[in-house]
Amino acid sequence: MNGGSLALYVHWPFCVSKCPYCDFNSHVRSSIDQDEWREALLADLAHEARLLPDRRLTSIFFGGGTPSLMEPATVEAIIGAATSHWSAAPDVEITLEANPNSVEAARFADLSASGVNRLSLGLQSFDDEALRFLGRAHSSREGFRALEIAQRKFRRVSFDLIYALPGDSEASWSATLGQALALGTTHLSLYQLTIEPGTRFATMAARGELEPLDADAAAALYELTDAMTSNAGMPAYEISNHARRGQESRHNLTYWRYGDYAGVGPGAHGRRGGMRTERHRKPENFLSGVSRHGHGIAEEAPLSTVEAADEMLVMGLRLREGVDAGAIAERFGFDSVVDWDRVGRLARSGHLECDASRIKLTAAGRLLLDHILGQIAAVQPRALAVAS
Ligand code: SF4
């Protein structure tokens, strides 16, 4: 499809150390050749641009890893190339994820000058003990200082916090969240700590060295979060993301509303014109892919209509605005993509709301997203007309 809008994701795969809860594609290396990486990312980007002509670029997102460790000149070169491959929307959103270490904060002015207009800061906690537990390389003091600099240097600043840590209570989380809401930000990402397979925390939990907060206590903290952020005018527009009206992440909305996005850099996923793409995860494999083939793609395959319809439902249900299940069925040529009897039952039990064919999770339903998806997702092929 030509002429549509497009989001661009760029993955920088390096971090100074590996956090014990992290299952992202992040790697620690003693040295990084910035020139080599700039050229590889630019080549990978040019490959996507050749396959996606005439798009209007609505957002760029530098994720990682820790993209604030990129040289600002590299960031600038990628933004320059992207906006010459595609015409950029006048209000193109350019986000970069940053950690609040002082070394990185010292780069904020240069990153802003390179074209980044939105910073997403990984504060994670205001408490030094919690930061140590999370294996973070910054202190709470550095975090506050970095936020202050970011708010001066960037038009839009979001920050992340992780809650539902072992020992968290409603009193401690409400104090932290109250403090966060007073910091003048217009977007917050609030994640519950989850123990992901293959992480150091998973090993510790298996050995009995870490006891995750129990599900009921975590659910109570989620409800508290919902109430406090709504009262402060920053309701959740997605399961874990909160914003003032108009300050939502346009880039992430593209994912959840099932728009096309190009993904470049190690491990990046993309979706273009009905194809899903995935780059080599390991940085060295990515570099050798680019030098041999001119791109870092490890896998590229067409999405079946069943997969695409299912993905669109899964993504859309994350959003407060919900998803039009009838429109998805129509788009992909199915009779239905959900089991309407079950949708009706979940609406009666207060977990879903239905308005014509649009389905939304209620606050109670948002706590049970995966379970509800398992209950309702059911692609029904269109009944064939039989000639008599
Ligand atoms: S800084 Fe972020 S990407 Fe890097 S290891 Fe920690 S959580 Fe993972």
Side-chain angles (χ1 to χ4, degrees):
M1 181 182 85
N2 289 348
S5 59
L6 180 76
L8 169 66
Y9 176 77
V10 181
H11 192 84
W12 181 258
F14 303 112
C15 289
V16 284
S17 55
K18 183 83 181 174
C19 302
Y21 58 88
C22 175
D23 70 340
F24 300 135
N25 187 33
S26 66
H27 305 262
V28 179
R29 297 287 184 267
S30 51
S31 72
I32 295 155
D33 184 335
Q34 291 269 349
D35 293 344
E36 185 180 25
W37 274 95
R38 181 172 59 243
E39 294 315 309
L41 290 171
L42 288 172
D44 203 28
L45 173 60
H47 177 78
E48 285 299 305
R50 277 192 292 277
L51 297 169
L52 283 161
D54 306 326
R55 294 298 188 104
R56 196 167 57 96
L57 190 65
T58 50
S59 63
I60 305 175
F61 193 104
F62 292 90
T66 307
S68 45
L69 295 173
M70 293 169 89
E71 292 286 351
T74 305
V75 174
E76 189 172 0
I78 292 171
I79 294 171
T83 51
S84 67
H85 291 314
W86 297 291
S87 67
D91 55 350
V92 61
E93 174 188 274
I94 305 179
T95 305
L96 184 133
E97 289 181 333
N99 276 337
N101 305 324
S102 42
V103 178
E104 292 164 49
R107 288 183 169 176
F108 288 175
D110 291 340
L111 286 168
S112 170
S114 73
V116 174
N117 53 31
R118 182 174 180 273
L119 199 80
S120 173
L121 201 55
L123 292 186
Q124 315 309 4
S125 175
F126 302 141
D127 176 64
D128 284 326
E129 201 183 315
L131 288 169
R132 270 193 298 278
F133 167 74
L134 292 168
R136 304 294 301 183
H138 67 274
S139 65
S140 57
R141 220 179 126 190
E142 277 180 300
F144 286 125
R145 175 92 186 110
L147 178 64
E148 190 192 303
I149 300 172
Q151 286 175 329
R152 266 191 278 121
K153 302 293 177 197
F154 297 93
R155 224 163 358 111
R156 296 165 69 199
V157 177
S158 171
F159 62 85
D160 298 4
L161 293 176
I162 300 179
Y163 68 105
L165 272 49
D168 267 4
S169 64
E170 291 190 38
S172 64
W173 174 234
S174 103
T176 303
L177 185 53
Q179 198 176 358
L181 289 166
L183 286 170
T185 186
T186 53
H187 188 284
L188 276 174
S189 300
L190 304 171
Y191 300 106
Q192 293 209 342
L193 179 67
T194 50
I195 308 296
E196 301 297 341
T199 60
R200 186 140 53 86
F201 274 178
T203 313
M204 289 167 68
R207 288 192 194 135
E209 294 163 10
L210 182 158
E211 194 180 334
L213 199 68
D214 77 68
D216 286 347
L221 296 187
Y222 187 84
E223 281 162 9
L224 176 67
T225 305
D226 198 48
M228 285 183 68
T229 52
S230 299
N231 285 342
M234 288 183 61
Y237 66 97
E238 189 266 350
I239 301 284
S240 308
N241 284 283
H242 302 254
R244 290 206 183 283
R245 192 183 287 273
Q247 294 300 312
E248 299 86 358
S249 158
R250 264 174 256 153
H251 185 82
N252 287 339
L253 281 177
T254 299
Y255 297 157
W256 295 319
R257 290 177 177 160
Y258 213 64
D260 268 3
Y261 64 100
V264 306
H269 290 246
R271 185 175 53 235
R272 58 167 137 77
M275 301 285 283
R276 63 172 184 81
T277 61
E278 187 177 346
R279 261 60 186 174
H280 292 285
R281 281 176 69 81
K282 199 172 163 207
E284 293 72 17
N285 295 351
F286 173 83
L287 285 180
S288 79
V290 173
S291 83
R292 274 187 285 136
H293 310 295
H295 60 76
I297 295 174
E299 227 185 293
E300 178 169 316
L303 280 157
S304 72
T305 48
V306 173
E307 286 170 323
D310 206 48
E311 271 187 14
M312 195 170 176
L313 177 74
V314 170
M315 291 289 169
L317 261 190
R318 301 187 66 87
L319 290 169
R320 172 69 68 109
E321 69 193 18
V323 68
D324 188 337
I328 300 177
E330 193 57 40
R331 172 168 164 179
F332 294 105
F334 296 115
D335 231 21
S336 165
V337 293
V338 291
D339 179 331
W340 284 105
D341 287 341
R342 290 187 170 176
V343 168
R345 278 204 290 278
L346 286 160
R348 285 191 292 280
S349 63
H351 293 90
L352 289 177
E353 278 172 23
C354 266
D355 180 4
S357 64
R358 179 167 283 276
I359 307 172
K360 290 182 210 178
L361 291 167
T362 60
R366 284 199 291 279
L367 281 166
L368 298 170
L369 170 67
D370 292 340
H371 173 74
I372 289 175
L373 277 169
Q375 293 274 308
I376 65 168
V379 169
Q380 304 286 333
R382 201 157 261 175
L384 292 176
V386 181
S388 57

